[in-house]
Amino acid sequence: MSTRSRHEARWTDERSTASGRLPRNKWWTLPLLVALALVALYGGYRVYMGIDTVTYEVRECQQPLAEGASWAEVQAAACDAVPADSLTMALMRGEERVEPDEVAGPLLTWDAWAVNSPEHSVQLVVDEPAETIVIAEPDNERVRVSLTSDTSGTRWGGFIGGRGPTSYWVLITPAP
């Protein structure tokens, strides 16, 4: 009588017996693989979406600014930091309104914000009417967007877009 390996066909010889180990049940590998896949997906999502802390600093300007303003015009407008208590600001993630996680002095902070998402917009409500409100990027030294208002000049909003920096200025010019 001869022996054969398990991978050999049975018809080699009907009297031969199989040698080798039986396949073992590796049931524990499936939950391990699922857990590793979930960790990889979560980590990839955080890197791809650029999850980070985003801050907006509120500043009051002496001269009105427009969306096409140069950085020299922003500096000439004499914008000084003011407490953020004079306004209510929320970022919009699609249709979801997201309030700031922290308000300290002139800074409004959102933790764990998806910086690379293309669906961001902003809503502001100011106590006193404003002539113009623009969002600027101090790190890149450019004006990102000019917000539009209602007729009273107290409610403002606009599309910010994605893939921006993590630090912005809200430049408010009070109404004369």
Side-chain angles (χ1 to χ4, degrees):
M1 183 178 328
S2 66
T3 61
R4 64 179 172 82
S5 295
R6 292 202 176 274
H7 69 279
E8 292 181 292
R10 290 193 179 273
W11 52 264
T12 55
D13 186 16
E14 61 185 45
R15 292 173 291 151
S16 64
T17 59
S19 64
R21 295 173 50 183
L22 291 172
R24 292 188 177 176
N25 188 1
K26 307 268 190 206
W27 63 268
W28 55 271
T29 59
L30 187 59
L32 178 65
L33 289 175
V34 168
L36 288 174
L38 289 175
V39 167
L41 285 173
Y42 178 72
Y45 171 79
R46 287 189 63 89
V47 169
Y48 178 74
M49 294 304 286
I51 305 296
D52 205 348
T53 299
V54 176
T55 59
Y56 284 78
E57 183 177 346
V58 180
R59 294 178 162 257
E60 189 173 292
C61 301
Q62 304 304 318
Q63 299 171 7
L65 295 166
E67 188 168 335
S70 68
W71 195 249
E73 291 172 319
V74 170
Q75 291 176 329
C79 302
D80 296 321
V82 295
D85 300 339
S86 62
L87 62 88
T88 303
M89 183 173 172
L91 295 181
M92 302 295 290
R93 187 182 302 132
E95 294 181 8
E96 177 189 2
R97 181 181 171 90
V98 182
E99 300 292 330
D101 294 316
E102 182 182 352
V103 179
L107 294 177
L108 300 146
T109 306
W110 283 263
D111 295 326
W113 188 257
V115 176
N116 293 338
S117 175
E119 60 181 2
H120 299 150
S121 57
V122 64
Q123 289 183 346
L124 270 107
V125 178
V126 292
D127 294 341
E128 299 294 325
E131 185 176 348
T132 63
I133 297 181
V134 296
I135 305 293
E137 300 175 5
D139 298 337
N140 298 330
E141 295 186 348
R142 75 178 187 109
V143 173
R144 186 169 180 108
V145 67
S146 179
L147 303 181
T148 56
S149 74
D150 62 355
T151 55
S152 68
T154 57
R155 298 180 64 83
W156 294 79
F159 177 69
I160 299 294
R163 300 200 187 277
T166 57
S167 176
Y168 295 94
W169 284 353
V170 179
L171 304 174
I172 302 172
T173 306

